[in-house]
Amino acid sequence: SATVSIPVIANGGSLDIKSYADVLPFKETTGCTSVMIARAAQWNMSVFSPNGLRPTKEVVREYLRFAIKYGNSIENIKFCLMTTLHKEQETEFGQRVKKAKSMFEICAACDIEEEFKTHVRSVAKISDQSKFSSKHSALITIPCA
């Protein structure tokens, strides 16, 4: 970046950058202004945290809570979970998530089924009051192929 007058953003360093702590040495080595992180972020979103990587199962649970809260589709949830599990897909945990066919089964595999039941009950209360959207009903009932 010393030879150009514009910021240089490094792209393609995901195999070198596996945690937040790897960003500064990468920037110093390459002289870039900033970095883009793709694969490492897909595999563990906590790569952006200065507090270090969090365990995959913890990251998966947090993602799942957000996905449920905001009505993400089960197909997208399953895709994101399997991408995040990456090398852990063949572990017992990964296999439980992979085999899950419904939101409840995904939540059970992630040990948050009680949270999901609470969510379903709260959505059902909203439904009874005619403020329930079809997006939320799909979240509850659509099985995963």
Side-chain angles (χ1 to χ4, degrees):
S1 69
T3 61
V4 295
S5 61
I6 60 172
V8 175
I9 301 170
N11 185 12
S14 286
L15 298 179
D16 296 322
I17 301 171
K18 295 176 179 63
S19 71
Y20 184 86
D22 296 331
V23 173
L24 186 57
F26 185 86
K27 285 173 63 175
E28 288 172 352
T29 300
T30 63
C32 69
T33 308
S34 189
V35 297
M36 288 194 271
I37 303 170
R39 286 174 281 193
Q42 289 178 314
W43 299 330
N44 190 322
M45 286 73 85
S46 68
V47 70
F48 300 106
S49 172
N51 300 323
L53 289 176
R54 291 173 37 215
T56 302
K57 194 168 186 178
E58 187 179 309
V59 171
V60 163
R61 285 180 183 146
E62 185 173 351
Y63 163 76
L64 192 52
R65 288 178 182 114
F66 277 106
I68 292 166
K69 179 177 180 179
Y70 294 105
N72 197 359
S73 72
I74 189 168
E75 296 84 4
N76 187 258
I77 290 169
K78 187 88 177 250
F79 173 81
C80 290
L81 290 177
M82 296 316 297
T83 301
T84 301
L85 287 171
H86 182 54
K87 292 179 180 177
E88 296 181 43
Q89 286 186 22
E90 300 308 318
T91 65
E92 181 184 339
F93 172 60
Q95 287 296 304
R96 286 180 23 222
V97 173
K98 188 186 262 188
K99 292 176 183 175
K101 302 285 185 209
S102 68
M103 280 303 300
F104 180 79
E105 289 178 7
I106 290 172
C107 290
C110 297
D111 300 320
I112 64 165
E113 65 270 28
E114 291 306 316
E115 292 177 48
F116 182 68
K117 286 179 188 178
T118 300
H119 172 77
V120 170
R121 283 191 291 274
S122 71
V123 168
K125 286 179 187 176
I126 295 169
S127 177
D128 291 342
Q129 298 169 9
S130 301
K131 295 179 185 172
F132 186 64
S133 75
S134 60
K135 180 168 93 173
H136 291 99
S137 65
L139 178 64
I140 296 167
T141 58
I142 295 176
C144 187

